[in-house]
Amino acid sequence: MPTGGPPPTDSQAHTLVDALWAHATPDCGIEHIRARTIPDGIGIVLFIRATRTDIAQAKARRLVVDVLVSGGAGAHGYSITLHH
């Protein structure tokens, strides 16, 4: 969710996808990433290869936090709201 300012653009959603791919390692198990703007920010869906749902959720959380903490392009000015 944006922490202030105007709503995100489609370009920002694409930049966020690029940032997620840039931070993903083979251990993340990422197969696909989808992102789109929504009224409250940018919604992302991660398709993750894992043996259990809780493992997939932990991998998703770790990747998204790593991207936001990096402060790089696509990550500045956002916070996380996780939905299961």
Side-chain angles (χ1 to χ4, degrees):
M1 296 179 67
T3 55
T9 65
D10 289 339
S11 177
Q12 289 171 309
H14 292 292
T15 301
L16 179 57
V17 169
D18 290 344
L20 289 164
W21 277 120
H23 283 83
T25 65
D27 289 340
C28 292
I30 297 293
E31 294 186 358
H32 301 286
I33 301 173
R34 301 284 186 257
R36 66 182 175 96
T37 59
I38 57 175
D40 294 330
I42 298 174
I44 59 172
V45 177
L46 305 173
F47 294 81
I48 298 176
R49 186 177 51 257
T51 56
R52 294 189 332 251
T53 301
D54 61 324
I55 293 171
Q57 291 169 345
K59 288 180 177 188
R61 185 177 302 108
R62 184 171 45 247
L63 176 60
V64 173
V65 167
D66 287 349
V67 168
L68 293 181
V69 168
S70 77
H76 184 70
Y78 285 88
S79 62
I80 301 172
T81 303
L82 298 172
H83 301 275
H84 303 146

